[in-house]
Amino acid sequence: MEYRRIKDQEKDGNGDGSGVVVAVADDIESLRAGKPISGSNVAKLGANAFDRSKWQQKSIVTLALTVLTSSQAILIVWSKRAGKYEYSVTTANFMVETLKCVLSLAALSRIWGSEGVTEDNRLSTTYDEVIVYPIPAALYLVKNLLQYYIFAYVDAPGYQILKNFNIISTGILYRIILKKKLSEIQWAAFILLCAGCTTAQLNSNSDHVLQTPFQGWLMAIIMALLSGFAGVYTEAIIKKRPSRNVNVQNFWLYVFGMAFNAIAMMIQDFDAIANKGFFHGYSFITVLMILNHALSGIAVSMVLKYADNIVKVYSTSVAMLLTAIVSVFLFGFHLSLAFFLGSTVVSVAVYLHSIGKLQR
């Protein structure tokens, strides 16, 4: 009997769910003997259910982010007419932040109706909690503006390749700011991921990877650093108070985003808005693009809340490949050998990252 008890304890620590099976069997035996169920077994079952629910949340938000990100570059390019934006970029960004703020409030109102107002979901807060939000809001403002202007120097495939700088910058900043160690396997997976995404989008008809001027490279590097720093900093803010409702945290972040974008509108496009109107140049594609960016922003915050920046990076990288697949049906894009090789490398990188995370 003592040997069996030791083996059952070893099974509980395997992490494969066998311990829960043993716990259930023991409880059935206890019930047959007229004995109460042990509290430890109840706790194990509850913890297993909680982990399963958390995994489902991670999966849903990661899938949503992947799907939304895959269409961002396409929508931005589609929103241009005759090679330029007829609408004001700053008003589009302002509308994105406004829509995200409204969606966060709508989600909160449903929570207040079902659970009531609590310490963790109320909007009122302290100065110390709010003062940290202007930093990522300002970083996202500059990054989002650069996201539009970089298309003056590169096309959509070129943008996707340059965007891979974000993979390495996020990994480095993740280690420096959050002080979280990445295993050697995970670092190798990062490099493979960057190489795989780049290979998948190479132009087989050209001897050059990119024909991008210096301004394009500079903007891409700045975008990668801003995106990486803003993402890691936002994750640190969100996870500093885990019990705080993510919609409240989003609300304050988006409020400052609206404020900074309003300032940008006044500085950059005040005359155009005053003469032509706030929504001049808008089209159906522009509205879709704004909706896509808003939902993508909320999905990113959810990923940062329930997962981390590393998951976000892999999600957006897979989205690059999904963009190419969708382009086959929308634009007659031909899948090249480079795409298949790159897809294989990305798949290996994702697998290595998961293995490295377990061994960390």
Side-chain angles (χ1 to χ4, degrees):
M1 293 298 295
E2 183 66 20
Y3 172 78
R4 182 189 173 194
R5 188 179 299 108
I6 294 174
K7 294 300 292 180
D8 288 347
Q9 291 174 354
E10 290 177 353
K11 290 178 180 179
D12 288 342
N14 286 341
D16 57 1
S18 59
V20 175
V21 175
V22 173
V24 173
D26 288 345
D27 286 339
I28 293 174
E29 292 179 5
S30 298
L31 288 173
R32 287 176 178 173
K35 299 178 182 180
I37 298 175
S38 63
S40 61
N41 287 345
V42 174
K44 291 172 186 174
L45 290 172
N48 183 262
F50 175 78
D51 290 341
R52 188 183 300 110
S53 176
K54 191 175 181 180
W55 181 85
Q56 289 176 345
Q57 288 177 326
K58 288 182 180 180
S59 301
I60 292 172
V61 296
T62 303
L63 178 61
L65 178 61
T66 303
V67 173
L68 291 168
T69 305
S70 64
S71 57
Q72 276 190 2
I74 295 175
L75 289 174
I76 292 177
V77 173
W78 267 359
S79 68
K80 298 172 70 174
R81 296 177 182 175
K84 65 179 182 178
Y85 304 108
E86 293 190 358
Y87 59 90
S88 169
V89 171
T90 55
T91 62
N93 273 338
F94 179 82
M95 290 304 301
V96 168
E97 297 300 316
T98 303
L99 182 56
K100 289 191 291 186
C101 194
V102 170
L103 292 175
S104 297
L105 281 176
L108 274 176
S109 65
R110 292 188 61 184
I111 294 174
W112 291 335
S114 59
E115 302 177 6
V117 179
T118 65
E119 182 70 20
D120 290 326
N121 65 27
R122 60 185 177 87
L123 283 179
S124 57
T125 183
T126 62
Y127 175 80
D128 291 336
E129 182 180 1
V130 173
I131 195 61
V132 296
Y133 289 106
I135 298 175
L139 294 174
Y140 280 125
L141 166 64
V142 180
K143 177 257 181 184
N144 290 335
L145 289 176
L146 288 176
Q147 184 175 245
Y148 288 94
Y149 296 131
I150 195 173
F151 284 102
Y153 304 98
V154 299
D155 53 13
Y159 168 77
Q160 295 285 35
I161 295 176
L162 291 173
K163 195 176 179 181
N164 292 327
F165 282 121
N166 183 43
I167 299 172
I168 302 301
S169 66
T170 298
I172 295 174
L173 293 170
Y174 192 76
R175 175 68 181 92
I176 294 175
I177 297 177
L178 296 183
K179 307 296 183 183
K180 293 187 177 181
K181 294 182 179 180
L182 299 175
S183 67
E184 293 181 357
I185 295 179
Q186 286 180 301
W187 282 114
F190 265 123
I191 297 174
L192 280 177
L193 180 65
C194 188
C197 288
T198 303
T199 302
Q201 298 166 73
L202 289 178
N203 184 2
S204 59
N205 298 322
S206 175
D207 295 331
H208 302 283
V209 176
L210 286 173
Q211 295 180 350
T212 304
F214 173 75
Q215 296 93 324
W217 284 97
L218 181 61
M219 292 173 70
I221 294 173
I222 295 175
M223 275 183 58
L225 292 174
L226 289 175
S227 179
F229 185 76
V232 174
Y233 192 88
T234 303
E235 180 182 348
I237 294 173
I238 290 177
K239 290 185 175 177
K240 184 178 181 180
R241 187 176 171 182
S243 62
R244 190 67 153 145
N245 189 282
V246 67
N247 294 294
V248 176
Q249 296 171 316
N250 283 343
F251 171 81
W252 287 109
L253 177 62
Y254 302 149
V255 163
F256 284 105
M258 291 172 59
F260 286 129
N261 277 281
I263 295 174
M265 283 193 304
M266 296 299 101
I267 296 175
Q268 182 173 328
D269 296 319
F270 178 80
D271 292 337
I273 295 173
N275 296 328
K276 301 179 181 179
F278 188 92
F279 296 104
H280 75 274
Y282 274 50
S283 65
F284 178 70
I285 297 298
T286 309
V287 174
L288 283 181
M289 181 195 67
I290 291 173
L291 178 61
N292 176 282
H293 277 71
L295 294 177
S296 297
I298 292 177
V300 166
S301 67
M302 294 295 183
V303 169
L304 297 182
K305 183 73 172 182
Y306 300 115
D308 52 41
N309 267 283
I310 307 302
V311 174
K312 186 194 78 170
V313 167
Y314 278 87
S315 173
T316 53
S317 298
V318 174
M320 298 179 193
L321 305 180
L322 184 60
T323 301
I325 295 175
V326 173
S327 297
V328 172
F329 303 98
L330 293 181
F331 311 114
F333 177 75
H334 297 288
L335 297 180
S336 63
L337 176 61
F339 176 81
F340 286 110
L341 291 176
S343 301
T344 303
V345 173
V346 168
S347 300
V348 173
V350 173
Y351 173 75
L352 286 178
H353 172 75
S354 63
I355 295 299
K357 190 172 184 179
L358 293 175
Q359 297 179 355
R360 188 171 58 190

